[in-house]
């Protein structure tokens, strides 16, 4: 399903999560932004849909990182 994985930050960081979501919105202003999901452990997940393809941003407390799983190449965002 997801062709691309990007590690954004090696620990949980709500600010890095928000910055990453903002960069995606700036790069893809036409993206449909789904409702923010909050897991029982406090992890946050933001899903964007761009031309029918998903970009999912995680601030995952179980894994301990901010990362993206995407069907779209995003090297300019993860840098």
């Amino acid at each position: 399903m997801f062709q691309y994985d990007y590690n954004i930050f090696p620990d949980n960081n709500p600010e890095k999560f928000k910055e990453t979501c903002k960069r995606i919105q700036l790069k893809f202003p036409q993206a449909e932004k789904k409702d923010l999901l909050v897991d029982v452990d406090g992890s946050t997940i933001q899903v964007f849909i761009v031309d029918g393809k998903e970009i999912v941003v995680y601030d995952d407390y179980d894994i301990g990182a901010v990362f993206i799983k995407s069907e779209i190449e995003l090297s300019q965002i993860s840098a």
Side-chain angles (χ1 to χ4, degrees), residues 50-65:
V50 179
D51 298 327
K53 296 183 179 182
E54 284 189 339
I55 302 169
V56 186
V57 183
Y58 298 86
D59 186 8
D60 193 308
Y61 280 78
D62 188 40
I63 293 174

Side-chain angles (χ1 to χ4, degrees), residues 21-79:
C21 290
K22 187 171 185 168
R23 290 172 84 180
I24 290 170
Q25 287 181 286
L26 290 172
K27 178 68 178 172
F28 302 101
Q30 78 283 14
E32 177 187 353
K33 183 178 176 184
K34 299 290 190 175
D35 290 339
L36 182 69
L37 303 173
V38 180
D39 199 355
V40 293
D41 68 358
S43 297
T44 50
I45 303 165
Q46 182 64 65
V47 177
F48 298 91
I49 307 295
V50 179
D51 298 327
K53 296 183 179 182
E54 284 189 339
I55 302 169
V56 186
V57 183
Y58 298 86
D59 186 8
D60 193 308
Y61 280 78
D62 188 40
I63 293 174
V66 177
F67 61 96
I68 300 172
K69 290 190 175 282
S70 178
E71 296 179 295
I72 300 171
E73 196 277 323
L74 300 172
S75 60
Q76 70 278 9
I77 289 173
S78 63

Side-chain angles (χ1 to χ4, degrees), residues 2-28:
F2 294 108
Q3 188 174 2
Y4 302 98
D5 291 307
Y6 301 94
N7 292 316
I8 303 301
F9 197 75
D11 200 358
N12 298 101
N13 190 310
E15 194 57 40
K16 291 286 185 186
F17 174 82
K18 289 176 192 173
E19 287 174 17
T20 302
C21 290
K22 187 171 185 168
R23 290 172 84 180
I24 290 170
Q25 287 181 286
L26 290 172
K27 178 68 178 172
F28 302 101

